[in-house]
Amino acid sequence: MAIPRQRIHLPPRSWRRAYAGWRRGERWEGEALARFERAIADEVGVAEAISVPSGRIALRFLLEALDLEPGSEVICCAFGYPVVPYLVREAGHRLRLVDCELRTMGMDPEGLEAVISDRTSCVITTHLYGTPCRVREIARIAEAHGAVLLEDCAHSLGARVGDRSTGSVGTAGYFSFETSKLLNTMGGGMITTADRELAERLRKIAATQPPNGFPWLSKRLLKTSFEALVTHPLGFNLLVYPALRFVLGEREQFTSGYAADTLTVAGKLGRYTSYQAELGLAQLDDLAPLAERRRKNSRYIVDRLSPRVPFQGNDEPDVVPNPMLLAARFANAPAVARALLARGIDTKRGYMRDCSGLLQEPAELPNAARVDREVLHVPAFPALTEAELDRVATALEAVLDELGG
């Protein structure tokens, strides 16, 4: 059977919990919200956690609550999710980009040191695919220039840097709980911070969001159920893999990844619900075991293919990733993806991107452009068996031999 690029699971008892919440009248508001916020704050190791409609809305709320000087400079990594620099510009700030490192694929601290100035009010750094960036160095640089540091932790719940979790190093961190993320509450997210005054301002902003209703819940349940079906081995092999093979080589974006994300917050608004908090609470005990399984699976593939293939990583000895995705670089990534698909191994491309196109003034950011061209996500998700991992590694070796990599 073919192996999908990732596996999405329907959160435990999703439909039953929705019905039970309706019976109790607690689908939208309930004590589970406070318990889930407290649990995430404890998991990350901070005083406060504030539930929000989505990861991108978390950033919008933070830029508003921090009350940064209008028109001040905000620095982001050049390789990442384009909506991050987009929201910076939308908030009226001057956008600066720093090139990424090839190894971590996160912000290069030396590049940050070269561009940060007294005009910089905020630095936003991302822990891509669950691998922490060199955030301690970035934090020292930001602090030396009086800039606020925000951590984009959409992919990195459970990752650690020394004795601290991602999301606890900067002034604030923000997490995403979309269906493909490390914790799936069918949407929504969380902001974490040690600053109680900032947390209070954020809660006031979040409270202005309109409540979600039954149409929203129905859409979320159906969407997540569908994603779980088509990434299940049986559903993938019956429905998705034949379609991918049919268009192989004809529509590169379809066969390799996802269409470009629209730079918008449409569909990402609405108050986080007690129902979603219940889904999150039900998954917390599995966070650590699943993280260990991801690390074990990733190590197997990396050990089999290194040094032939450059994989994402962080070489600091006390950094512990939670690899949401296993990222590798190939000079001929589209050809590798097509050859792997022909061998029954689905991969993912085009998830994060070179964001330099959002700059008003051109800048040389060669690493971001290179990673954008070369990155490919190889299946290593927790549900894979040892035999399946061996199939992935063996297929990669055969494709590299065939293509001369």
Side-chain angles (χ1 to χ4, degrees), residues 103-405:
R103 176 65 168 146
T104 67
M105 301 187 188
M107 182 180 286
D108 181 356
E110 286 74 23
L112 174 62
E113 187 76 80
V115 303
I116 196 170
S117 70
D118 293 339
R119 298 184 300 276
T120 305
S121 63
C122 180
V123 175
I124 304 171
T125 191
T126 304
H127 305 291
L128 275 179
Y129 314 130
T131 295
C133 63
R134 288 160 60 193
V135 66
R136 288 173 291 199
E137 295 172 64
I138 292 167
R140 286 194 290 270
I141 295 167
E143 183 178 7
H145 288 82
V148 171
L149 175 63
L150 300 181
E151 296 177 76
D152 181 343
C153 306
H155 303 167
S156 68
L157 182 65
R160 300 188 65 82
V161 179
D163 60 354
R164 304 181 74 171
S165 295
T166 58
S168 70
V169 180
T171 300
Y174 58 95
F175 298 82
S176 171
F177 300 146
E178 288 292 339
T179 53
S180 63
K181 299 302 193 295
L182 298 167
L183 188 69
N184 169 15
T185 67
M186 301 195 298
M190 197 76 72
I191 298 172
T192 55
T193 183
D195 187 333
R196 295 187 185 276
E197 291 184 3
L198 175 61
E200 186 59 31
R201 294 196 296 274
L202 287 163
R203 285 199 173 90
K204 289 179 179 178
I205 295 170
T208 65
Q209 289 292 296
N212 284 307
F214 184 75
W216 169 88
L217 177 58
S218 301
K219 182 179 178 181
R220 281 290 174 173
L221 277 167
L222 290 170
K223 176 180 180 290
T224 310
S225 298
F226 175 75
E227 291 175 346
L229 170 66
V230 297
T231 60
H232 185 279
L234 185 58
F236 178 77
N237 279 272
L238 288 176
L239 302 173
V240 180
Y241 185 64
L244 290 172
R245 291 300 310 277
F246 179 73
V247 297
L248 181 63
E250 296 181 12
R251 292 184 60 195
E252 178 62 33
Q253 190 62 49
F254 179 64
T255 59
S256 64
Y258 296 88
D261 184 76
T262 304
L263 296 182
T264 178
V265 295
K268 302 295 182 180
L269 300 167
R271 205 173 302 168
Y272 196 75
T273 66
S274 180
Y275 167 70
Q276 291 171 288
E278 286 188 5
L279 297 180
L281 287 165
Q283 298 171 69
L284 287 177
D285 288 343
D286 293 329
L287 274 179
L290 288 173
E292 183 53 41
R293 183 70 185 181
R294 288 187 193 93
R295 287 190 286 268
K296 181 181 178 181
N297 288 359
S298 296
R299 281 195 299 268
Y300 179 87
I301 301 292
V302 171
D303 289 348
R304 282 279 298 268
L305 274 298
S306 293
R308 197 175 183 186
V309 175
F311 288 91
Q312 182 196 27
N314 185 317
D315 297 319
E316 297 172 276
D318 59 349
V319 166
V320 180
N322 186 3
M324 187 186 88
L325 294 170
L326 177 59
R329 290 189 295 108
F330 301 90
N332 51 352
V336 171
R338 289 192 295 269
L340 284 172
L341 188 64
R343 287 170 169 79
I345 309 297
D346 188 26
T347 55
K348 181 173 183 174
R349 292 184 55 240
Y351 184 30
M352 301 291 114
R353 295 179 180 84
D354 174 7
C355 299
S356 60
L358 290 170
L359 288 173
Q360 293 177 328
E361 302 172 3
E364 286 194 25
L365 302 163
N367 286 352
R370 181 175 179 181
V371 174
D372 193 350
R373 291 193 307 270
E374 296 183 352
V375 72
L376 189 68
H377 301 293
V378 179
F381 50 87
L384 289 179
T385 65
E386 290 186 14
E388 289 169 327
L389 289 167
D390 178 71
R391 277 188 59 204
V392 173
T394 300
L396 266 169
E397 291 166 341
V399 166
L400 292 174
D401 289 341
E402 176 186 302
L403 298 178

Side-chain angles (χ1 to χ4, degrees), residues 74-78 84-85 88 95-99 107 123-125:
V74 175
I75 299 177
C76 304
C77 185
V84 173
V88 167
L95 173 66
R96 295 291 300 273
L97 295 180
V98 169
D99 209 357
M107 182 180 286
V123 175
I124 304 171
T125 191

